[in-house]
Amino acid sequence: VGYNLAGASYDNKSFSVSSQDANPNDIAFKTDGTKMYIVGQGNDVIYQYSLGTSWDVSTATYDSVSFSVTAQETTPSGLFISPDGTKMYVTGLIGRDVNEYTLSTAWDVSTASFIQNFSTVSQDTGPEGISFKSDGTVMYVAGNTNNSIFQYTLSTAWDLSTASYSSKSLNVNSQETAPLGITFKPDGTYLYVFGSGSGEINSYALSTAWDISTGTFSEVVDLSPQETAVAGGEFTSDGTKLYIVGYATDTVYQYSTALTTNT
């Protein structure tokens, strides 16, 4: 069930991150929904939170655990954490790249250490949102300069030193002029793009799973009643819950999706 945006409704549950950062730019969750992570562009820091009830953002509390990425990037924009919680990836608008970190203790961002970076400048000088295929062999970056999503192949899973451009992209300019966040349905058949230009989420159907070049626009949901500058978002693994964060209100909002599945 889930992932049906047409039936999405606000749960009246939210959590402000303004005490940590006034410019949150992306969001990630631990796979069981007990941890939440925010990349803050105001302080160039990744912040870690605990959820007292899994996937209920109204039960979130700040762990007083964080990690500064200032040494690599002073305008961090996108955040992705691998499914096992041992790798973290942060995009940046100053370095125009993706930065890779390893976490010596899974899901504890305070144990992160920088490994290497990968430049996206040949495709886009404004890398924002970032996502990966579930096995770590394909990476996707949302480019805010060209309003396109770009696809990269990693010959060794999760290792940016083995990344190369796949010569595949999807232009989303007709729907979104400021794509800031991206995520995928777990089977790779749908892409979701979050944008500050319109305060909405757009979905795209991929006729070939994980091949961004086969994407076609599917549907759109207006999120502006809660957030007009949507910077990032994420779903639960079953797609029944949607979470967004934005820098107009510096708040995470929780939604329920319709109990049918896109096919």
Side-chain angles (χ1 to χ4, degrees):
V1 296
Y3 290 99
N4 189 338
L5 295 182
S9 60
Y10 178 45
D11 285 349
N12 290 312
K13 291 185 176 183
S14 62
F15 177 76
S16 173
V17 298
S18 60
S19 294
Q20 286 74 55
D21 201 288
N23 195 356
N25 252 59
D26 207 354
I27 186 171
F29 284 87
K30 187 178 179 182
T31 48
D32 64 2
T34 61
K35 294 285 185 182
M36 179 176 74
Y37 307 85
I38 297 289
V39 56
Q41 207 170 81
N43 299 316
D44 314 325
V45 168
I46 313 300
Y47 299 96
Q48 178 177 314
Y49 305 81
S50 289
L51 279 66
T53 300
S54 295
W55 301 113
D56 184 342
V57 297
S58 68
T59 68
T61 56
Y62 179 46
D63 285 348
S64 296
V65 172
S66 63
F67 177 75
S68 174
V69 298
T70 303
Q72 291 79 45
E73 181 57 57
T74 56
T75 312
S77 51
L79 173 66
F80 184 91
I81 300 177
S82 63
D84 66 359
T86 64
K87 285 291 186 78
M88 179 171 72
Y89 304 85
V90 178
T91 58
L93 300 179
I94 299 300
R96 300 175 179 178
D97 57 8
V98 181
N99 296 281
E100 176 186 334
Y101 303 84
T102 185
L103 280 63
S104 58
T105 299
W107 302 109
D108 183 346
V109 297
S110 69
T111 69
S113 56
F114 175 66
I115 300 297
Q116 58 199 344
N117 62 359
F118 175 79
S119 176
T120 64
V121 70
S122 294
Q123 287 75 53
D124 201 289
T125 57
E128 294 273 5
I130 182 171
S131 191
F132 282 80
K133 186 179 178 181
S134 51
D135 64 2
T137 61
V138 187
M139 177 175 71
Y140 306 85
V141 175
N144 196 16
T145 302
N146 297 313
N147 302 326
S148 293
I149 317 303
F150 299 93
Q151 179 173 327
Y152 303 84
T153 299
L154 283 70
S155 57
T156 299
W158 307 111
D159 184 348
L160 285 186
S161 70
T162 70
S164 60
Y165 180 47
S166 303
S167 297
K168 293 182 177 182
S169 63
L170 175 67
N171 187 281
V172 298
N173 188 69
S174 295
Q175 292 80 43
E176 180 56 62
T177 57
L180 300 188
I182 54 173
T183 192
F184 283 84
K185 191 176 178 182
D187 63 4
T189 59
Y190 275 83
L191 163 72
Y192 304 90
V193 178
F194 304 87
S196 67
S198 48
E200 63 189 22
I201 174 175
N202 292 278
S203 71
Y204 301 81
L206 277 62
S207 56
T208 299
W210 301 111
D211 185 341
I212 202 74
S213 67
T214 68
T216 55
F217 174 65
S218 177
E219 59 183 330
V220 60
V221 170
D222 181 17
L223 305 171
S224 61
Q226 286 75 50
E227 176 61 59
T228 57
V230 183
E234 193 56 81
F235 288 90
T236 53
S237 58
D238 64 1
T240 58
K241 295 291 182 181
L242 165 67
Y243 308 84
I244 65 165
V245 68
Y247 51 83
T249 64
D250 311 325
T251 296
V252 179
Y253 297 96
Q254 177 179 318
Y255 303 79
S256 292
T257 64
L259 299 181
T260 57
T261 306
N262 280 322
T263 56

